[in-house]
Amino acid sequence: IPRIDFLGNTNGALLLEPQRTNLITYSNDFTNSGWSHFRGTITANAIISPDGTLNASRYQEDSQTGSHMFRRQSLSITNGLSYTGSIFAKKGELTSIILQTNSSSRWVASATFDLENGTVTSGTGVIENYGNGWYKCSISGNAVQTTADAGLEILTSSDVGRNGDGLYMYGAEFEQSSYPTSYIPTQGSTVTRVVDSTSQTLPNEVFNSYPFSVFTEVDVIDTSSANSAFSLLNKASSNNYFTIEYFSNLWHITARPNGPVERISSTTAVTKGTNKLVGVWESSSMKLYLNGSLIASGSNSQSFNNTIDSLLLGQLRISGDTGTRTPIRQALLYNTALTDSEAIAITT
């Protein structure tokens, strides 16, 4: 189920995610024997879930004294790796839950979530608003031993039971990751989501000669390592490319269509946050614009190479590069040279 990122952008953008496996084999069947219940009952299909169907459960406390919770155990973890547990929750008569590990000697994580105000009131956790009263609550922590019996606990209270009071649950997940990813439904076995990716081959009739221009809007989240805002490359050879990139804390525009490098470096420092850039490549010149200003210009002596036919966004030239990726909000390719006024207008 793809996630949409609305951070700083009300239109939203598709969030491409890495491969992950939900290790909970019955992610939404809390009545299954894989789940243990303590001082409470589960009623399946009690309310509409975040996916819009009648498949969310109600957990209801009894009147006994002690911890009121349900738990999923027999989850395998490896010492030193990070794990994240998550669940969707909605208030009923009860307005808070605790997510925690079943044993602090196995993996360490705990947080209390306020389902009325959408806040984390204690511990370290993440709460995301999914609308209609639903929140995705998650905790992350490191495994401190290798074991096949780690567990995720969901508590509603640790006192005298509030007989009949309850709240609603949907979609539990336990993944080897330091942060929560989108929900992976399971029913009887673990399920792996393959890595998300996008690609586009540029048609020759659009991109086959100088001049050309590119526009990109990027979110710089790490200025310390080399990265790219826009790359056009020959997917068969990482030595053939045109890029807008940053390294040594400065912006650069580069032409390397046939091997030799032609690079124009700006004196403008890279800053975190949203940046709009335009690069213009002509047969004898290159220009780079940033946030309404021309920041670099110079000569280009490199002949065009029409085997450069692919886009690579958010990383530096080749897919094997490691490090922080740069989120891309927009990417546009023009088979003309944008004028100074056009480039300044589109980046302002």
Side-chain angles (χ1 to χ4, degrees):
I1 302 175
R3 302 187 80 180
I4 305 299
D5 175 20
F6 292 99
L7 182 61
N9 179 354
T10 57
N11 293 323
L14 181 66
L15 179 62
L16 301 180
E17 295 187 298
Q19 178 175 301
R20 288 290 183 265
T21 299
N22 189 353
L23 299 174
I24 294 178
T25 54
Y26 288 91
S27 64
N28 197 45
D29 185 1
F30 303 116
T31 63
N32 181 269
S33 60
W35 290 91
S36 301
H37 313 129
F38 298 85
R39 303 174 188 89
T41 58
I42 295 284
T43 302
N45 304 325
I47 194 173
I48 301 295
S49 78
D51 75 3
T53 59
L54 184 65
N55 61 356
S57 298
R58 176 178 169 87
Y59 176 80
Q60 189 168 298
E61 293 186 355
D62 62 21
S63 60
Q64 297 183 65
T65 300
S67 295
H68 292 75
M69 68 179 193
F70 55 106
R71 172 195 294 164
R72 183 61 170 88
Q73 290 185 268
S74 301
L75 301 171
S76 296
I77 59 175
T78 300
N79 185 29
L81 297 182
S82 296
Y83 292 86
T84 294
S86 61
I87 195 167
F88 294 86
K90 181 176 181 176
K91 74 172 185 175
E93 299 82 12
L94 307 178
T95 60
S96 68
I97 63 166
I98 301 170
L99 261 62
Q100 66 182 31
T101 60
N102 66 322
S103 171
S104 60
S105 65
R106 294 171 181 169
W107 69 288
V108 182
S110 178
T112 302
F113 301 88
D114 180 339
L115 302 177
E116 195 159 43
N117 300 302
T119 59
V120 180
T121 56
S122 67
T124 302
V126 174
I127 188 165
E128 300 173 83
N129 190 343
Y130 273 70
N132 197 30
W134 283 103
Y135 293 93
K136 184 174 184 178
C137 306
S138 63
I139 54 172
S140 301
N142 293 327
V144 293
Q145 67 169 270
T146 295
T147 177
D149 193 30
L152 177 67
E153 295 181 344
I154 301 95
L155 292 84
T156 57
S157 72
S158 298
D159 53 16
V160 175
R162 291 159 287 190
N163 192 26
D165 288 354
L167 43 70
Y168 303 96
M169 302 291 181
Y170 167 79
E173 186 159 4
F174 187 77
E175 54 191 311
Q176 196 272 292
S177 173
S178 61
Y179 59 91
T181 63
S182 59
Y183 174 48
I184 304 170
T186 67
Q187 183 63 36
S189 64
T190 63
V191 173
T192 299
R193 177 188 56 245
V194 298
V195 62
D196 297 326
S197 64
T198 63
S199 64
Q200 180 179 11
T201 298
L202 305 178
N204 288 334
E205 65 271 18
V206 172
F207 184 70
N208 56 13
S209 65
Y210 293 119
F212 67 92
S213 308
V214 300
F215 165 80
T216 183
E217 183 179 6
V218 302
D219 286 341
V220 176
I221 58 177
D222 181 5
T223 62
S224 62
S225 61
N227 222 319
S228 175
F230 200 111
S231 298
L232 296 159
L233 77 159
N234 176 355
K235 59 179 176 286
S237 172
S238 62
N239 292 323
N240 305 141
Y241 54 80
F242 299 99
T243 61
I244 296 174
E245 60 191 47
Y246 60 84
F247 58 86
S248 300
N249 204 40
L250 296 174
W251 289 103
H252 314 267
I253 183 171
T254 301
R256 190 185 181 184
N258 303 291
V261 178
E262 194 94 55
R263 176 177 288 118
I264 309 299
S265 300
S266 76
T267 58
T268 302
V270 181
T271 58
K272 290 184 179 180
T274 302
N275 292 269
K276 295 181 179 181
L277 297 117
V278 161
V280 178
W281 286 261
E282 299 190 70
S283 59
S284 60
S285 64
M286 296 186 289
K287 292 182 178 181
L288 181 61
Y289 302 81
L290 171 70
N291 299 333
S293 298
L294 174 65
I295 62 170
S297 62
S299 63
N300 177 25
S301 62
Q302 301 302 307
S303 60
F304 190 83
N305 182 348
N306 60 15
T307 66
I308 295 177
D309 62 354
S310 297
L311 297 173
L312 184 63
L313 305 178
Q315 61 191 94
L316 191 58
R317 293 192 301 280
I318 59 173
S319 60
D321 284 338
T322 60
T324 303
R325 300 294 185 245
T326 301
I328 306 294
R329 295 195 179 278
Q330 298 186 69
L332 304 173
L333 173 63
Y334 301 85
N335 58 355
T336 59
L338 295 180
T339 65
D340 286 345
S341 60
E342 289 172 331
I344 289 170
I346 199 173
T347 57
T348 299

